[in-house]
């Protein structure tokens, strides 16, 4: 079944056309990695999927709902498609546990006791059971990003969108975050991951997509994508990053 269907997506910022006609289907449980040069529109695509940006034209259907339809509740769209950012975006004045329970309490009207039970179980899942009472500033970058993942899971999203989740981390902290993402993938979570981690894309993705100049230049299984890229721009790109 399709979890995400993008039809002829266009997005401009004023005069600048960034996305120039993207079609993409992602099945339930699929892990799709998106790679491409800086400024090619990768974040814009993710941000359109959960309506942090409004497409200029086209359609985006998430779990059967057209997120552009006037009757669609944008807040509902955002709970269906969770987002994990490069810069974590945790609330600094709240404990780790409160960061994770805020959504369930505010958005899902869950009681505090149930929310905390859920929060503890999610912190355990990301390996941070002992950090519930800490504040974000007391954590390493890798730990903060794992809290951010637990927070996005707290709303039980249908899909999680990761925008360069390890790009702000010291190299030795990248692995612990990728491990948690790998575990989510194994559990069947639908994931769209913008990343420069080619090893992760190769090992975990079902498909890898190369976006450049506002369009999808290549969309293939990891083996073909990395070993015999067809697109000339992708060949050049892999030559530079490999
Ligand atoms: P990527 O994530 O691939 O680096 P982005 O989607 O962030 O690319 O950006 C694509 C292009 O759109 C860039 O040229 C960027 O400067 C521009 N852009 C992104 N967000 C905005 C915005 N809010 N307003 C104006 N231009 C933007
Ligand atoms: Mg980006």
């Amino acid at each position: 079944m399709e979890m995400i269907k993008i039809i002829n997506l266009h997005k401009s910022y004023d005069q600048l056309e960034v996305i120039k006609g993207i079609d993409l289907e992602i099945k339930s449980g699929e892990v799709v990695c998106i790679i491409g040069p800086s400024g090619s529109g990768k974040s814009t695509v993710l941000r359109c999927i959960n309506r942090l940006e409004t497409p200029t034209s086209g359609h985006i259907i998430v779990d059967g709902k057209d997120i552009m339809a006037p009757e669609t509740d944008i807040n509902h769209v955002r709970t269906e498609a969770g987002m994990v950012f490069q810069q974590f975006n945790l609330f600094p004045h709240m404990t780790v546990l409160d960061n994770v329970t805020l959504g369930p309490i505010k958005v899902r009207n869950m009681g505090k006791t149930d929310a905390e039970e859920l929060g503890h179980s999610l912190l355990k899942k990301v390996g941070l059971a002992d950090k519930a009472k800490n504040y974000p500033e007391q954590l390493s970058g890798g730990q903060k990003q794992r809290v951010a993942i637990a927070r996005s899971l707290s709303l039980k999203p249908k899909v999680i969108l990761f925008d360069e989740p390890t790009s702000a981390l010291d190299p030795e902290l990248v692995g612990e975050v990728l491990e948690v993402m790998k575990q989510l993938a194994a559990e069947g979570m639908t994931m769209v991951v913008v990343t420069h981690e080619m090893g992760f894309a190769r090992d975990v993705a079902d498909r890898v997509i190369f976006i450049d100049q506002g369009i999808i230049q290549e969309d293939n299984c990891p083996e073909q994508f990395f070993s015999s890229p067809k697109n000339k721009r992708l060949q050049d790109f892999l030559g530079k990053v490999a």
Side-chain angles (χ1 to χ4, degrees):
M1 205 210 96
E2 268 152 26
M3 183 57 79
I4 300 174
K5 190 175 167 87
I6 299 176
I7 304 160
N8 200 16
L9 177 68
H10 288 255
K11 173 67 184 176
S12 299
Y13 298 106
D14 298 319
Q15 301 306 314
L16 179 69
E17 191 182 25
V18 174
I19 302 299
K20 303 174 181 171
I22 280 186
D23 292 281
L24 179 61
E25 289 181 17
I26 297 175
K27 291 190 190 67
S28 183
E30 232 182 344
V31 177
V32 174
C33 284
I34 299 178
I35 68 170
S38 177
S40 59
K42 306 179 299 294
S43 295
T44 299
V45 172
L46 284 195
R47 294 167 64 84
C48 285
I49 296 173
N50 81 343
R51 284 293 299 271
L52 286 173
E53 298 289 352
T54 301
T56 307
S57 66
H59 287 280
I60 300 180
I61 294 149
V62 178
D63 196 31
K65 276 187 219 71
D66 183 345
I67 68 162
M68 303 285 288
E71 69 273 15
T72 300
D73 174 4
I74 291 181
N75 289 320
H76 182 71
V77 170
R78 296 203 180 127
T79 63
E80 302 268 84
M83 185 105 174
V84 173
F85 302 90
Q86 185 177 333
Q87 294 296 343
F88 327 124
N89 295 3
L90 298 177
F91 295 109
H93 60 288
M94 293 171 69
T95 65
V96 162
L97 183 64
D98 288 343
N99 266 279
V100 177
T101 58
L102 183 70
I105 291 170
K106 293 282 180 206
V107 179
R108 298 267 192 243
N109 293 318
M110 196 181 272
K112 193 163 189 274
T113 312
D114 287 347
E116 291 191 344
E117 194 178 313
L118 172 65
H120 282 296
S121 76
L122 291 173
L123 288 174
K124 186 168 169 220
K125 188 182 178 76
V126 300
L128 294 172
D130 57 334
K131 300 292 183 195
K133 291 197 161 63
N134 287 91
Y135 284 84
E137 66 176 12
Q138 299 170 305
L139 305 183
S140 71
Q143 291 170 332
K144 282 186 223 180
Q145 193 59 299
R146 286 185 283 147
V147 173
I149 293 171
R151 181 179 59 179
S152 82
L153 288 170
S154 73
L155 290 173
K156 304 201 188 307
K158 300 246 168 67
V159 46
I160 304 187
L161 312 169
F162 294 85
D163 195 355
E164 300 198 26
T166 60
S167 294
L169 301 177
D170 292 335
E172 73 273 20
L173 303 177
V174 168
E176 66 193 59
V177 173
L178 295 181
E179 266 315 305
V180 169
M181 293 169 61
K182 211 167 175 171
Q183 178 194 329
L184 285 181
E187 289 169 7
M189 176 61 78
T190 309
M191 297 164 55
V192 187
V193 185
V194 173
T195 187
H196 298 294
E197 294 292 332
M198 299 300 161
F200 179 84
R202 197 186 286 266
D203 295 346
V204 182
D206 297 298
R207 277 157 65 202
V208 188
I209 285 171
F210 178 60
I211 293 184
D212 190 21
Q213 301 197 323
I215 60 169
I216 293 178
Q217 307 274 359
E218 188 126 342
D219 177 348
N220 215 331
C221 63
E223 300 78 47
Q224 298 291 321
F225 185 96
F226 289 109
S227 66
S228 46
K230 293 178 203 63
N231 179 270
K232 178 72 173 67
R233 290 180 170 280
L234 174 57
Q235 291 168 2
D236 292 346
F237 183 79
L238 292 176
K240 281 183 211 131
V241 296

